[in-house]
Amino acid sequence: MLNPQLVMYDEEQKQIEKIASKLHRDSRSKTILLVDKNGQLIASAGEVSHLDTTSLSSLVAGNVAATGGIAKLIEEDEFTGQYHEGKGISIHLTLVGRRAILVVLFDKNTTHGLVRLRVRKASAELAKIFEELALKAASTPMPSVFDEITDEDIDNLFND
Amino acid sequence: MSFINYSSREINCKLVYYGPGLCGKTTNLQYIYNKTRPEAKGKMISLATETERTLFFDFLPLSLGEIRGFKTRFHLYTVPGQVFYDASRKLILKGVDGVCFVADSQEERMEANIESLDNLRINLNEQGYDLDKIPYVIQWNKRDLPNAVPVNILSRECNPTGVPEFEAVAVSGQGVFDTLKALAKQVLAELRKGT
Ligand SMILES: Nc1nc2c(ncn2[C@@H]2O[C@H](COP(=O)(O)OP(=O)(O)OP(=O)(O)O)[C@@H](O)[C@H]2O)c(=O)[nH]1
Ligand SMILES: [Mg+2]
């Protein structure tokens, strides 16, 4: 499969969250989101309680998919980053290991230059973790919890 | 592909509603949105034209409860059905876990249905998927209309492999949840197989 299933384990989740928190601090940004390319939120740091992170993740992924499509059409490899400047809040998007999107929301408390600098380091670290995850997922069989899913379990999901 | 998080104990799956323009994909999601309890759904996002045609996608996140201690979340997407939005359709199919093909039962839309099905197969192939190997259901929508083609004929033309099929009237909700359930079931069963 071109796009293997993303599997996350405790150990890597903690490492990722640590990197996100550090990036949040060091870049003096408001919010960090790490989003799977398919639009699912993997981790976050900073101010998130007032944000609809599910919607944001899906739109960010749609946006990156669209620019990726544009890149292909003009025979550019893939745009690795995007920057949208707002009056109050700006947003910086970076592709991480072709698998995830690192999103930084920031305001006047910092500068785009500082954000870019800190993101470079963090995304290199994250890319390494995603590589390890892919290897780990490929060599670890799925735990038996999924073997035990019954048709009844599935039916129960839909009974309110 | 699905995203399984053992750390937060969540399963995330992506379901895509595909089909020709105006067949009722967005209407399916709107009905599901309206009938789902607030705590089980997120915001529905529609990236649409001024005339309410889907421009890029509709998105509806559902979290249906737990299976064996894992929260199950389904991300529902629709594609834009109009022929010239093909590039966008390809993008939405990335990472898909299951497809619902919504056919428009009206006689004058038969050709559009068949074209859209061919297009689905081609676009999946481009991503390395085979429609015959992934979770897949079909919905015959607009059964309320007088010019609806009999189901056995639709079935012969558009469902040669005999995947689960459902009659629906998406505007009133008939068949909408049956279709979704059948697809979600197949997707979860696929996880059990250990893809
Ligand atoms: N009579 C009838 N009308 C329906 C039914 N389902 C949808 N419609 C109507 O068909 C029209 C198109 O529905 P949409 O859900 O927007 O179609 P779509 O497939 O999302 O179309 P695109 O976004 O262009 O791909 C709307 O006016 C709906 O109200 C149905 O079961 N019966
Ligand atoms: Mg639509």
Side-chain angles (χ1 to χ4, degrees):
Chain A
M1 231 2 89
L2 293 174
N3 199 358
Q5 190 169 57
L6 180 59
V7 179
M8 182 65 68
Y9 303 95
D10 242 344
E11 190 189 343
E12 284 78 8
Q13 179 79 32
K14 290 214 176 84
Q15 291 172 359
I16 287 171
E17 278 165 8
K18 217 166 122 191
I19 295 170
S21 297
K22 185 167 187 316
L23 175 60
H24 172 237
R25 249 188 349 262
D26 292 351
S27 65
R28 285 186 288 160
S29 56
K30 286 176 81 74
T31 309
I32 308 290
L33 302 176
L34 188 66
V35 177
D36 165 52
K37 252 184 152 185
N38 297 330
Q40 287 144 346
L41 183 67
I42 299 170
S44 64
E47 295 172 34
V48 284
S49 54
H50 63 294
L51 282 178
D52 180 349
T53 52
T54 310
S55 300
L56 252 174
S57 301
S58 145
L59 288 173
V60 160
N63 186 334
V64 167
T67 19
I70 294 170
K72 232 176 164 179
L73 284 177
I74 61 171
E75 290 172 5
E76 179 62 52
D77 183 26
E78 188 157 40
F79 297 117
T80 48
Q82 280 187 51
Y83 171 56
H84 303 283
E85 190 177 344
K87 274 216 189 76
I89 295 185
S90 295
I91 181 165
H92 182 92
L93 309 178
T94 321
L95 267 182
V96 175
R98 291 182 175 260
R99 180 70 241 211
I101 305 156
L102 182 58
V103 183
V104 182
L105 300 178
F106 62 97
D107 61 12
K108 298 271 173 328
N109 255 320
T110 184
T111 62
H112 187 210
L114 180 65
V115 167
R116 225 172 17 207
L117 181 75
R118 300 302 187 205
V119 157
R120 208 172 300 149
K121 181 153 177 281
S123 66
E125 290 171 6
L126 287 168
K128 233 177 100 200
I129 296 178
F130 279 107
E131 261 171 49
E132 287 162 12
L133 264 176
L135 290 174
K136 191 165 170 179
S139 62
T140 319
M142 293 259 252
S144 59
V145 40
F146 295 109
D147 302 342
E148 293 160 15
I149 295 178
T150 61
D151 286 351
E152 204 187 340
D153 285 334
I154 297 173
D155 278 330
N156 284 339
L157 275 186
F158 288 92
N159 299 334
D160 324 74
Chain B
M1 286 274 105
S2 54
F3 170 26
I4 301 172
N5 193 327
Y6 291 108
S7 180
S8 54
R9 301 190 75 76
E10 282 178 11
I11 309 171
N12 291 277
C13 304
K14 177 173 179 177
L15 311 183
V16 174
Y17 284 68
Y18 211 94
L22 297 177
C23 67
K25 301 173 292 293
T26 298
T27 310
N28 264 271
L29 259 66
Q30 282 166 341
Y31 184 82
I32 294 164
Y33 179 81
N34 289 333
K35 291 293 169 190
T36 303
R37 28 190 185 96
E39 64 276 17
K41 67 186 175 196
K43 217 187 265 164
M44 177 163 165
I45 293 176
S46 291
L47 302 180
T49 66
E50 301 207 332
T51 54
E52 309 259 301
R53 304 293 302 267
T54 302
L55 177 64
F56 193 9
F57 59 77
D58 300 299
F59 168 69
L60 172 59
L62 295 179
S63 59
L64 290 180
E66 294 198 351
I67 283 193
R68 310 264 153 173
F70 276 77
K71 279 175 243 145
T72 55
R73 294 187 205 280
F74 289 96
H75 285 182
L76 275 48
Y77 284 84
T78 74
V79 299
Q82 294 180 82
V83 174
F84 53 86
Y85 288 135
D86 198 38
S88 303
R89 274 194 295 279
K90 290 181 193 187
L91 296 175
I92 307 303
L93 280 178
K94 285 192 176 167
V96 66
D97 291 300
V99 176
C100 170
F101 184 80
V102 180
D104 190 325
S105 296
Q106 298 178 87
E107 194 168 1
E108 62 267 32
R109 297 302 283 162
M110 274 308 271
E111 214 179 305
N113 289 330
I114 291 166
E115 245 172 53
S116 175
L117 255 179
D118 285 345
N119 176 256
L120 168 62
R121 208 171 262 286
I122 291 167
N123 285 345
L124 281 172
N125 277 343
E126 266 181 36
Q127 316 271 345
Y129 300 103
D130 179 348
L131 184 58
D132 298 326
K133 291 194 179 128
I134 62 171
Y136 170 41
V137 301
I138 296 182
Q139 180 183 77
W140 312 124
N141 191 32
K142 307 201 183 181
R143 295 312 297 164
D144 58 316
L145 294 178
N147 51 345
V149 174
V151 166
N152 62 330
I153 293 178
L154 284 167
S155 214
R156 194 183 64 208
E157 297 297 326
C158 302
N159 189 12
T161 54
V163 301
E165 49 178 55
F166 301 87
E167 294 186 49
V169 183
V171 271
S172 67
Q174 188 199 315
V176 168
F177 273 97
D178 291 338
T179 312
L180 171 63
K181 268 189 213 184
L183 184 59
K185 250 186 173 175
Q186 277 191 38
V187 167
L188 292 169
E190 195 66 20
L191 275 183
R192 179 164 56 190
K193 271 197 246 161
T195 36

